[in-house]
Each structure stands twice: as structure tokens, then as C-alpha cells.
């Protein structure tokens, strides 16, 4: 037999349980930040990738990579090339002529910021000017159409080898500037 006292006790226990349930549904700021972070699992994964872009029927560039991983983030995608990449840019007037080539052991294309970042053994070759850049890190900003690096760079031209820290160039690597030159060596000194 349930007495009025037991009914009041059961109602009190139920009220305390309901209140505890309502107040236990909050998350700490750290938990909310963790849940808001981007996934670490790619939404797309591809092997032996070949991507090209054309304009008016002419290929502008071709990108090849052994592995591509695409991650969706708020506002756009981030594409990683964890096993490196190679981009070949073709001359706009003579589409069968390679103008510039970029290779690196690691790359990140951030579609949100419109930047392409290359790191580890980065090499840019401008075939039209016979010039080569070596560095460990550089960023191509598609908005400003500039390429820059804050790391040590070596630029080899037909006449000399230049060393320095940091550089800036146009996206075609046609004109460039070393920010902090450290030295140069002439290749044909006896001429």
C-alpha cells in the first residue's frame, strides 16, 4: 500500500532526477571546440592523380600526384598531397612548350584562402629563362598572383647561383627578388 508519504517521496526523487538530467546536458567549452574542429578523415582519397585545366581549348597546366586527400572545412576544401606533386605550366602562345615546372615532396591546396603551399625539396624550373629555384617551403597566393618563401633559397641562372633568405616572384616565376641576399657565385668566371 502506497502511503501519502511514499507518494511525496517518489515525486521528490523524480523531480531531483529530472533536474539532474536537465543540468547534466551541458558541454564544456573545450568539448564544444573539439566537436567544431574539422574532421581528420578525408572526404575524398585518390591515387595516381592527373588534373589539368584548359582555356580556349589549350591546356594551361597539368598537376600529377601519387596521392590526393581532400578535406571539407567550413567555407571550402583543403586538398593535401602527402606524397608530393608535380605541376607543369604550358606556354599560352605555344601550348606544346613547357614554361614552368614545380615539384615538391608535400603540398596543400587551400581552396578557402586560395593558396597552394609546397614544402620539402621544392624545385621550380623556368624553362623559358633557364632558371631554377630550390627551397624547403613556398606559398603561391592565387589572389595576389605571387609566390613567396621565407626560407633559404637558391636560384640558379645561366650566369650565376644566388643564395638568400626569403624570396618573392610572380606566379610564372618570370621575375623574382631575393629578400635577404646571402651571396652569389658566378658560373663562368673566366669569360
Amino acid at each position: 500500500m502506497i502511503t501519502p508519504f511514499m507518494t511525496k517521496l517518489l515525486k521528490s526523487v523524480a523531480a531531483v532526477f529530472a533536474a539532474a538530467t536537465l543540468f547534466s546536458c551541458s558541454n564544456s567549452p573545450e568539448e564544444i571546440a573539439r566537436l567544431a574542429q574539422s574532421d581528420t578523415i578525408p572526404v575524398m582519397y585518390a591515387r595516381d592523380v592527373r588534373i589539368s585545366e584548359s582555356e580556349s581549348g589549350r591546356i594551361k597546366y597539368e598537376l600529377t600526384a601519387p596521392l590526393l586527400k581532400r578535406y571539407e572545412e567550413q567555407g571550402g576544401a583543403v586538398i593535401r598531397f602527402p606524397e608530393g606533386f608535380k605541376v607543369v605550366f604550358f606556354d599560352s602562345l605555344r601550348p606544346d612548350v613547357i614554361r614552368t615546372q614545380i615539384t615538391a615532396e608535400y603540398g596543400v591546396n587551400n581552396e578557402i584562402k586560395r593558396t597552394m603551399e609546397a614544402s620539402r625539396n621544392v624545385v621550380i624550373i623556368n624553362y623559358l629563362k633557364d632558371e631554377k629555384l630550390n627551397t624547403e617551403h613556398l606559398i603561391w597566393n592565387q589572389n595576389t598572383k605571387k609566390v613567396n618563401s621565407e626560407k633559404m633559397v637558391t636560384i640558379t641562372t645561366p650566369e650565376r647561383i644566388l643564395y638568400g633568405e626569403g624570396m618573392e616572384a610572380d606566379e610564372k616565376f618570370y621575375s623574382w627578388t631575393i629578400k635577404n641576399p646571402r651571396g652569389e657565385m658566378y658560373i663562368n668566371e673566366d669569360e
Side-chain angles (χ1 to χ4, degrees):
M1 168 171 177
I2 298 180
T3 64
F5 173 74
M6 288 179 76
T7 304
K8 282 184 180 179
L9 182 65
L10 287 173
K11 285 181 180 179
S12 297
V13 169
V16 169
F17 181 73
T21 303
L22 288 173
F23 287 107
S24 68
C25 290
S26 67
N27 290 329
S28 68
E30 294 83 16
E31 181 68 11
I32 292 169
R34 187 187 68 77
L35 292 172
Q37 285 180 343
S38 301
D39 282 339
T40 56
I41 299 172
V43 295
M44 185 175 83
Y45 174 97
R47 282 239 171 245
D48 299 323
V49 177
R50 182 177 301 271
I51 301 169
S52 60
E53 181 180 332
S54 63
E55 185 176 283
S56 301
R58 296 181 175 172
I59 295 179
K60 290 173 57 175
Y61 72 85
E62 182 176 74
L63 179 142
T64 55
L67 177 62
L68 175 148
K69 293 182 178 183
R70 181 183 175 103
Y71 299 86
E72 288 297 327
E73 295 188 2
Q74 193 172 29
V78 173
I79 300 170
R80 298 188 184 278
F81 302 96
E83 295 178 10
F85 68 91
K86 174 181 169 182
V87 182
V88 176
F89 293 92
F90 295 95
D91 188 87
S92 59
L93 300 175
R94 298 172 294 166
D96 57 327
V97 174
I98 296 174
R99 184 187 72 217
T100 310
Q101 175 181 293
I102 302 172
T103 58
E105 294 176 6
Y106 185 83
V108 178
N109 184 19
N110 189 320
E111 292 180 357
I112 302 161
K113 296 179 182 176
R114 293 187 34 87
T115 58
M116 177 82 176
E117 194 169 341
S119 56
R120 299 197 306 258
N121 196 22
V122 182
V123 179
I124 300 178
I125 301 172
N126 180 327
Y127 289 104
L128 300 179
K129 290 180 68 179
D130 194 24
E131 294 180 343
K132 180 168 84 169
L133 167 107
N134 296 81
T135 189
E136 286 302 309
H137 182 260
L138 65 80
I139 298 172
W140 170 37
N141 185 322
Q142 297 169 32
N143 296 317
T144 62
K145 300 188 182 305
K146 298 282 185 189
V147 176
N148 67 59
S149 176
E150 299 302 322
K151 300 289 183 182
M152 289 299 295
V153 296
T154 302
I155 297 178
T156 306
T157 72
E159 300 84 30
R160 56 193 173 155
I161 301 171
L162 300 127
Y163 304 94
E165 188 172 341
M167 60 80 62
E168 184 173 278
D170 64 305
E171 66 183 351
K172 296 178 182 180
F173 192 60
Y174 196 77
S175 67
W176 45 264
T177 303
I178 295 179
K179 294 179 182 176
N180 297 306
R182 298 283 189 231
E184 65 182 81
M185 180 174 63
Y186 287 90
I187 294 174
N188 297 319
E189 288 184 8
D190 44 316
E191 288 185 3

